[in-house]
Amino acid sequence: MTYYLGIDAGGSNCRARLIDPTGAVIGEGRAGAANARVGIDTLYATLAETADQAIVAAGLTSPQRARIEAGMGIAGISRPGVLDALAGLDFGFAHVAYATDAQIANLGAHDGQDGSILIIGTGSVAQLRVDGRDFTIGGYGFPISDEGSGAALGLSAMRHALRALDGRTRKTPLSAAVTERFDHDTARAIAWMDEATPRDYGLLAPLVMDYAEADDTIARSIVEHAASHIERFIETIFERGATRCTLVGGLAPRMRPWLRARTVGRLSEALGDSLDGALRLAGYRPDPGGAARH
């Protein structure tokens, strides 16, 4: 009997789903952040921990573990040397296939068929499969890229807040809420920015959305600008030949109402999630006759 293991290793957390040949979920696992930037040893430890949780939950023996076909989608896997390093790792499985986390999300969203996703979270990137060929649009990293993302919203909010403190632009409830985090002290805000990561900026995004929805003028302009980038992303996705496009990511539900109706009308709902895509990468093919959805 062959078992299938799917792992989604991203910047926020690492998740695993283990299924039997019928598609029934027999084990799951979850651990901390896992991406190529943490280093191969730390990445391996997190992947192994997450997989082991699922295997223990399923009660598999060592011989059964050796019959696992695994698919792992890992953030940052396209960095030079990462795939070669991963090829040298031994998880004790029959086989492991690797892809980016965006690729497995796209596979899951379209049942393994051609299609595209636009991920709007801390960062932003489009993943496409057109005529069986996989490629990305954007996703070059913050701050040069990641248009329309949570990090971009947070960066714009910080710019506005600092200008408001200087008196170069008028204060709004949004600017006051941001600078309050630093006791309205420019020096403290600058010290924070010296160490801030994209995730830190992204944590300001819900605040921006809250004030935009409450009709704060500057917050609205920030969100509308982000929405324009997302709309251009979607236009480009279809121009590049995609037949379907699904909006995914933590910020996607809140940004969707800010898009034009004609843009929303072109979007498709996801048919599955990233772990479904990882399982497809592993070689699992659902029974058309009704294998259970997860």
Side-chain angles (χ1 to χ4, degrees), residues 134-202:
D134 296 303
F135 60 97
T136 62
I137 299 173
Y140 308 122
F142 180 82
I144 195 68
S145 184
D146 289 341
E147 301 90 344
S149 70
L153 290 181
L155 179 61
S156 293
M158 284 299 298
R159 284 175 175 155
H160 167 62
L162 290 172
R163 289 168 185 162
L165 278 180
D166 284 345
R168 287 185 289 154
T169 187
R170 66 186 181 85
K171 296 180 180 179
T172 71
L174 172 65
S175 72
V178 172
T179 58
E180 184 179 6
R181 296 176 174 224
F182 310 103
D183 293 331
H184 309 290
D185 183 338
T186 301
R188 288 190 60 184
I190 292 172
W192 177 85
M193 289 187 294
D194 284 342
E195 305 292 334
T197 64
R199 182 176 182 276
D200 293 327
Y201 281 103

Side-chain angles (χ1 to χ4, degrees), residues 25-292:
V25 177
I26 57 175
E28 295 182 311
R30 179 182 291 268
N35 61 67
R37 295 178 184 175
V38 302
I40 197 66
D41 292 338
T42 303
L43 175 60
Y44 174 71
T46 304
L47 293 171
E49 176 190 352
T50 313
D52 287 347
Q53 288 178 17
I55 292 167
V56 169
L60 298 191
T61 64
S62 293
Q64 288 173 320
R65 179 191 184 103
R67 293 199 292 272
I68 290 175
E69 297 282 342
M72 301 186 184
I74 303 171
I77 199 174
S78 57
R79 293 165 68 91
V82 174
L83 272 175
D84 288 340
L86 288 170
L89 301 180
D90 182 11
F91 293 93
F93 303 148
H95 180 257
V96 182
Y98 297 104
T100 69
D101 55 340
Q103 284 176 307
I104 62 166
N106 196 35
L107 283 172
H110 306 291
D111 265 350
Q113 303 303 308
D114 279 2
S116 65
I117 55 170
L118 176 55
I119 304 172
I120 305 295
T122 298
S124 65
V125 63
Q127 179 70 44
L128 291 75
R129 170 168 282 200
V130 178
D131 296 329
R133 184 173 69 90
D134 296 303
F135 60 97
T136 62
I137 299 173
Y140 308 122
F142 180 82
I144 195 68
S145 184
D146 289 341
E147 301 90 344
S149 70
L153 290 181
L155 179 61
S156 293
M158 284 299 298
R159 284 175 175 155
H160 167 62
L162 290 172
R163 289 168 185 162
L165 278 180
D166 284 345
R168 287 185 289 154
T169 187
R170 66 186 181 85
K171 296 180 180 179
T172 71
L174 172 65
S175 72
V178 172
T179 58
E180 184 179 6
R181 296 176 174 224
F182 310 103
D183 293 331
H184 309 290
D185 183 338
T186 301
R188 288 190 60 184
I190 292 172
W192 177 85
M193 289 187 294
D194 284 342
E195 305 292 334
T197 64
R199 182 176 182 276
D200 293 327
Y201 281 103
L203 291 174
L204 295 173
L207 190 70
V208 178
M209 297 302 305
D210 289 344
Y211 279 99
E213 290 161 4
D215 212 26
D216 179 285
T217 305
I218 298 298
R220 282 187 62 91
S221 70
I222 292 172
V223 174
E224 287 168 355
H225 183 65
S228 71
H229 279 295
I230 293 170
E231 297 221 346
R232 181 55 190 147
F233 248 129
I234 294 169
E235 290 170 3
T236 305
I237 284 167
F238 284 108
E239 288 169 1
R240 295 291 300 275
T243 54
R244 287 171 51 92
C245 178
T246 299
L247 203 60
V248 300
L251 192 58
R254 296 196 73 174
M255 286 302 307
R256 191 178 179 117
W258 293 83
L259 304 177
R260 291 175 294 181
R262 70 182 186 185
T263 301
V264 173
R266 303 184 76 181
L267 299 175
S268 302
E269 295 302 315
L271 301 176
D273 64 15
S274 57
L275 287 174
D276 289 316
L279 290 167
R280 279 190 169 275
L281 180 66
Y284 175 67
R285 297 295 179 266
D287 180 359

